[in-house]
């Protein structure tokens, strides 16, 4: 495992070795190496990046790039504010405050609820995903409980160290089978297989994507977004090359490059219509952040929930799509004195053309 300049030490490769090593000394070294890499990136990209790119007026302007990622979603540079650790483990967010902080300005953040999972349900027409969402199932809690059950009951825990996960750490496992991933610990692999059995229409949809890509070298979303796979072909074993990308890109692209961006456009229109002094200042994947002018919080929350949930109307306006919109879409909105120390204002949900209702 050598790179041109020596041993490969990128974070993904080093982390992958943790599943292979036997020596405790090697495991300790690799664990510390992963941690060292994370701290180095944190200091250079985030701490150093914020210091380098904050302007003389104290305002940080990141670049949002439209044509960098393979899936089509936005990326961020100078500095990179997208590839962050999750909120609670990213304390530098506390440095992001309102430009009106001295007179009571607030930071407001709205996140779509389980957007990729719901996007996969829309694209695949999987009625089990639909019924789970309608029934209020927390998919990440389901993932956590299922993997922990496999760990506790289906394997000899005297031979395999018991490793229980929490809801936050279960999120990558929720998304992994949606993206074609099937590798991991015995409990994870068992969960991925169970996931595709439960959501069998999603599994069939994925097979259809790979077959189409192998035949025509591209796949296309309902919005017209097209991904090309010139090297996709079926091998003698039946496997289609680039399968992970073929099933990954549509879900990520439809969720974060199409739906989320349409919701942000609709939200910004409402800000302008209301003549708000508050401004949208950043989007990170399936969330949007606003700098709230003092006294405008209620209006900002109203605009965010109305705009982000106006997806059927926006799909019709931009793409002429009159989709049979049964899937509930939800947003959680938080506010606080900075980007880290926030509290939930509420969670709102909309199904089709029904009225938006507050669920929490």
């Amino acid at each position: 495992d050598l790179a041109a300049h020596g041993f490969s030490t990128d974070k993904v490769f080093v982390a992958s070795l943790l599943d292979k090593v036997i020596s405790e000394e090697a495991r300790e070294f690799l664990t510390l190496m992963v941690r060292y890499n994370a701290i180095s990136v944190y200091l250079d990209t985030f701490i150093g990046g914020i210091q380098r790119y904050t302007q003389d007026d104290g305002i940080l302007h990141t670049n949002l790039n439209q044509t960098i990622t393979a899936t089509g979603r936005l990326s961020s540079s100078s500095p990179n504010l997208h590839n962050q650790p999750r909120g609670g483990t990213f304390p530098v967010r506390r440095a992001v405050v309102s430009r009106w902080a001295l007179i009571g300005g607030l930071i407001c953040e709205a996140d779509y609820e389980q957007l990729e999972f719901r996007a996969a349900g829309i694209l695949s027409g999987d009625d089990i995903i639909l019924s789970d969402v309608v029934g209020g199932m927390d998919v990440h809690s389901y993932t956590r409980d299922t993997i922990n059950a496999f760990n506790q009951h289906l394997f000899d825990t005297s031979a395999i160290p018991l490793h229980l996960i929490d809801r936050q750490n279960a999120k990558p496992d929720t998304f992994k089978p949606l993206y074609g991933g099937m590798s991991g610990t015995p409990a994870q692999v068992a969960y991925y297989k169970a996931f595709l059995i439960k959501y069998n229409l999603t599994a069939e949809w994925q097979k259809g994507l790979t077959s189409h890509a192998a035949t025509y070298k591209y796949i296309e979303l309902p919005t017209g977004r097209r991904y090309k796979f010139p090297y996709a072909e079926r091998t003698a074993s039946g496997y289609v090359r680039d399968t992970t990308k073929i099933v990954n890109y549509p879900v990520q692209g439809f969720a974060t490059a199409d739906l989320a961006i349409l919701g942000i456009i609709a939200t910004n229109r409402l800000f302008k219509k209301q003549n708000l002094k508050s401004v949208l200042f950043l989007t990170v994947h399936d969330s949007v952040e606003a700098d709230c002018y003092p006294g405008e919080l209620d209006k900002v929350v109203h605009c965010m929930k109305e705009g982000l949930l106006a997806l059927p109307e926006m799909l019709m306006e931009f793409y002429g799509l009159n989709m049979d919109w049964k899937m509930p879409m939800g947003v959680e909105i938080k506010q606080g004195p900075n980007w880290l120390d926030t509290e939930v204002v509420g969670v709102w949900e909309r199904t089709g053309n029904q009225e938006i209702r507050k669920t929490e």
Side-chain angles (χ1 to χ4, degrees):
D1 294 308
L2 294 174
H5 57 279
F7 288 103
S8 177
T9 58
D10 73 88
K11 63 180 181 181
V12 175
F13 174 74
V14 172
S16 72
L17 292 179
L18 280 168
D19 293 331
K20 304 175 183 178
V21 298
I22 300 175
S23 162
E24 284 304 314
E25 184 180 17
R27 182 176 298 279
E28 180 183 10
F29 171 78
L30 290 169
T31 300
L32 291 173
M33 189 70 188
V34 169
R35 179 63 178 160
Y36 172 77
N37 284 342
I39 293 172
S40 297
V41 169
Y42 187 97
L43 291 174
D44 181 62
T45 302
F46 302 120
I47 306 299
I50 288 173
Q51 290 175 336
R52 286 192 297 272
Y53 296 108
T54 299
Q55 298 184 5
D56 292 340
D57 60 4
I59 296 179
L60 177 66
H61 295 272
T62 186
N63 294 324
L64 291 173
N65 311 302
Q66 299 184 60
T67 57
I68 300 296
T69 65
T71 59
R73 74 181 184 187
L74 296 175
S75 67
S76 171
S77 58
S78 303
N80 180 354
L81 294 177
H82 274 199
N83 295 337
Q84 311 171 2
R86 64 180 185 268
T89 60
F90 189 49
V92 77
R93 281 190 175 201
R94 191 170 282 125
V96 179
V97 300
S98 169
R99 68 199 71 191
W100 301 291
L102 294 179
I103 58 172
L106 297 170
I107 297 297
C108 194
E109 180 177 50
D111 288 281
Y112 279 104
E113 296 275 278
Q114 305 169 348
L115 184 60
E116 284 100 339
F117 182 64
R118 301 184 192 205
I122 293 169
L123 293 172
S124 65
D126 196 319
D127 54 358
I128 304 300
I129 291 181
L130 175 61
S131 64
D132 280 349
V133 173
V134 171
M137 187 193 80
D138 183 335
V139 64
H140 301 310
S141 294
Y142 167 78
T143 302
R144 174 201 63 201
D145 295 342
T146 305
I147 291 178
N148 287 340
F150 278 130
N151 258 323
Q152 290 177 299
H153 303 300
L154 298 185
F155 296 102
D156 179 3
T157 55
S158 63
I160 300 174
L162 187 61
H163 176 60
L164 300 182
I165 60 172
D166 59 22
R167 181 183 181 279
Q168 184 65 42
N169 288 320
K171 287 184 177 181
D173 294 304
T174 297
F175 297 132
K176 192 168 181 176
L178 292 176
Y179 301 156
M182 293 298 293
S183 62
T185 66
Q188 288 172 319
V189 172
Y191 166 74
Y192 301 151
K193 291 178 179 178
F195 181 99
L196 293 178
I197 292 172
K198 177 180 181 181
Y199 301 115
N200 64 302
L201 288 181
T202 297
E204 290 300 315
W205 173 69
Q206 290 178 339
K207 291 179 183 178
L209 289 176
T210 57
S211 294
H212 191 280
T215 302
Y216 300 104
K217 311 304 181 188
Y218 76 89
I219 53 177
E220 186 169 300
L221 296 182
T223 56
R225 185 181 298 277
R226 180 175 288 194
Y227 299 108
K228 294 184 178 181
F229 298 99
Y231 304 109
E233 59 182 36
R234 196 174 296 279
T235 65
S237 66
Y239 177 78
V240 175
R241 291 190 175 94
D242 283 337
T243 285
T244 301
K245 294 179 180 178
I246 292 167
V247 301
N248 176 353
Y249 289 4
V251 176
Q252 280 205 30
F254 188 59
T256 58
D258 292 336
L259 296 182
I261 298 303
L262 289 176
I264 291 168
I265 292 171
T267 302
N268 192 53
R269 287 176 174 177
L270 291 173
F271 271 43
K272 292 181 177 179
K273 185 177 180 179
Q274 294 281 338
N275 293 316
L276 299 184
K277 293 182 180 179
S278 302
V279 294
L280 301 180
F281 68 88
L282 185 64
T283 172
V284 180
H285 306 326
D286 60 354
S287 70
V288 59
E289 289 69 34
D291 187 351
C292 297
Y293 187 78
E296 290 188 350
L297 177 63
D298 289 345
K299 291 181 178 180
V300 166
V301 169
H302 174 78
C303 291
M304 292 181 103
K305 66 180 177 67
E306 293 286 335
L308 292 176
L309 295 177
L311 297 177
E313 294 82 4
M314 296 297 285
L315 282 168
M316 173 58 75
E317 176 185 343
F318 277 74
Y319 301 109
L321 284 175
N322 186 15
M323 300 182 71
D324 184 12
W325 200 272
K326 298 177 182 177
M327 182 68 68
M329 302 301 288
V331 293
E332 178 186 72
I333 301 179
K334 298 176 286 188
Q335 62 84 25
N338 57 65
W339 195 12
L340 180 67
D341 301 313
T342 57
E343 59 183 22
V344 176
V345 176
V347 179
W348 287 266
E349 186 175 86
R350 173 183 171 176
T351 304
N353 294 320
Q354 295 179 13
E355 293 296 319
I356 296 172
R357 62 187 183 91
K358 191 172 184 179
T359 60
E360 291 184 22

